[in-house]
Amino acid sequence: MARSQAVASGVGQPVSAQPASVLVGTAAFGAPLLVLALGHMLSNMLRTLPAIATDVMAVDIGVSAEALASLTGAYHFAFAAGQIPVGVALDRYGVRTVSLTLFAIVTVGAALAAVVGGAAGFFLAQIVLGVGCCGMLLCPMTLAAKLLTPAKFGLWSGLIQGVGNSGMLLSASPLAWLIEMAGWRAGYGVAAVAGVVIAGLVFLLVPNTPPERGEGHATLRSEAREVVQIGLSVRMRGIIILALVSFAVMIGIRGLWGGPWLMDVKGLSRVEAGAVLMPLTIALVLGPIAFGMLDRRIGHRRALIIAGHAVAGAMLLLLAMGGPAGTLSRLLGEMSLPVTFDTTVLFIFGATIAVQPLLFAMGRSIFTPDKAGKALAAINFAFFAGAAIFQPVTGAVSAVWGTAGVIVFLGLLMLTCTLAFALMTERRATGGR
């Protein structure tokens, strides 16, 4: 796709022909990446908005909380389905063109969610939003992967993910306040306006550099098939398995069930629940940056991935054990552990699950730069396919075992797939990292 000339100042004007290594750390290099990361921030805000508004959304739409989980799962199905086409489009048409197209779709989807009524209308809005948001992380990741070495990519992937995860800060206390004042639809209205503003920044700051056509005779079908083949390859198998559950568990807690756990099970108000979720969200913003720095300084990428996911899974089991009549509560002679316990455990969960971007870095290190976009698309597909699969499952688990059962289910799922990743990957496969 783009080489170092893709780093530009203004619309489509190359800064220089200097290598990307010279430009790294400059405004010319960072501005396009960070502006594109704002799209991922908007995507995170949209996908986590239901967590703080589940009760009022369900009543307004006319469904149960369990049914709402299935409706919001449509977002993740659409998001996952868009990964392969977007991965191919990025190689064919370039980051700027794809990004602007996605922002147009997101704006339409957010406007739909803000005005349409009923379950069918909300379902349609979720599909449109899923399609629009599906490439918001891939766009900056692909640009970075083309310009950076695998070693440097780990740090920048963490920075991109950290900026993007700041969208979850917006869906904590700020959106909780907005929902209390103006209703949940106002949140989607704000997102529609933000989509237009960020698209304008992309138009101004992201270079309009056409992709190279050296391999331009490949058909769309063959390129899509290559994405699938990369995802199914033996070298990627462990990464894909862990990616299937990593994001599903994180978004299951932060995007849907964290709010009901704090409000329905622990008895907090909406704003209080938003305040408890805030440290978790801050950890999800700063954690990827911290893990990117650790990866750059000390290496041991595979060990960091295993440790982070294992601790995150264990924290979810502790969270459930500290609830009403939970094992830990009974051992300590309490009906339920205080909310400070939930705040601490959720913060540790967020700080450790934030190791996720290193899965991108690990996959990037396996393939040459010309395959980087497709490898990242395969991993991103796994992230959101997992969310699409497991989010409706959590609704069924909740119907039988309640919200505490969902927390336990997600914790066990995380630990099981972390073990599978450890068994299916080898140190030498990642060059000692």
Side-chain angles (χ1 to χ4, degrees), residues 68-118:
L68 184 65
S70 296
L71 290 175
T72 56
Y75 172 100
H76 300 293
F77 273 112
F79 197 112
Q83 294 307 304
I84 293 176
V86 167
V88 172
L90 284 167
D91 285 338
R92 281 184 168 251
Y93 307 113
V95 170
R96 183 170 178 262
T97 299
V98 172
S99 179
L100 289 173
T101 302
L102 294 175
F103 274 112
I105 298 171
V106 166
T107 301
V108 171
L112 277 174
V115 299
V116 298

Side-chain angles (χ1 to χ4, degrees), residues 367-411:
F367 296 94
T368 55
D370 61 301
K371 307 289 186 185
K374 293 181 177 67
L376 296 178
I379 297 170
N380 215 30
F381 174 82
F383 272 126
F384 288 93
I389 292 167
F390 290 112
Q391 192 139 305
V393 171
T394 62
V397 172
S398 174
V400 179
W401 289 290
T403 305
V406 173
I407 304 297
V408 172
F409 168 73
L410 293 175

Side-chain angles (χ1 to χ4, degrees), residues 7-8 23 25-32:
V7 182
L23 294 172
T26 68
F29 179 87

Side-chain angles (χ1 to χ4, degrees), residues 113-320:
V115 299
V116 298
F122 185 76
F123 180 77
L124 174 62
Q126 290 297 298
I127 291 175
V128 176
L129 285 170
V131 172
C133 291
C134 70
M136 293 302 187
L137 177 59
L138 274 182
C139 287
M141 286 287 196
T142 299
L143 184 58
K146 297 294 185 180
L147 298 174
L148 297 168
T149 64
K152 291 180 180 178
F153 179 76
L155 176 61
W156 276 89
S157 68
L159 180 60
I160 291 167
Q161 190 89 344
V163 171
N165 283 352
S166 66
M168 288 182 274
L169 287 172
L170 301 176
S171 64
S173 294
L175 272 185
W177 176 85
L178 179 63
I179 291 166
E180 285 291 317
M181 295 296 103
W184 63 271
R185 294 181 185 275
Y188 286 105
V190 168
V193 174
V196 174
V197 172
I198 301 172
L201 293 174
V202 170
F203 182 80
L204 292 172
L205 297 175
V206 177
N208 186 23
T209 307
E212 294 182 19
R213 297 290 184 177
E215 301 176 5
H217 298 296
T219 65
L220 285 170
R221 179 178 295 182
S222 65
E223 288 187 287
R225 188 184 302 119
E226 187 177 7
V227 176
V228 175
Q229 290 171 343
I230 287 173
L232 295 177
S233 64
V234 173
R235 291 181 295 173
M236 288 279 280
R237 202 161 293 166
I239 297 172
I240 295 298
I241 286 176
L242 187 54
L244 279 169
V245 302
S246 180
F247 182 76
V249 171
M250 186 274 283
I251 203 66
I253 296 298
R254 181 58 189 85
L256 189 61
W257 295 106
W261 170 261
L262 295 169
M263 290 187 284
D264 300 338
V265 177
K266 301 304 290 260
L268 302 184
S269 69
R270 188 183 322 282
V271 174
E272 288 171 338
V276 171
L277 290 173
M278 186 64 77
L280 160 63
T281 308
I282 292 172
L284 291 172
V285 172
L286 299 180
I289 301 171
F291 275 115
M293 294 173 66
L294 282 173
D295 177 63
R296 181 74 183 276
R297 287 179 177 274
I298 68 173
H300 303 292
R301 181 175 293 163
R302 175 177 173 273
L304 287 172
I305 292 171
I306 292 171
H309 285 89
V311 172
M315 288 301 103
L316 293 185
L317 298 184
L318 277 179
L319 184 68

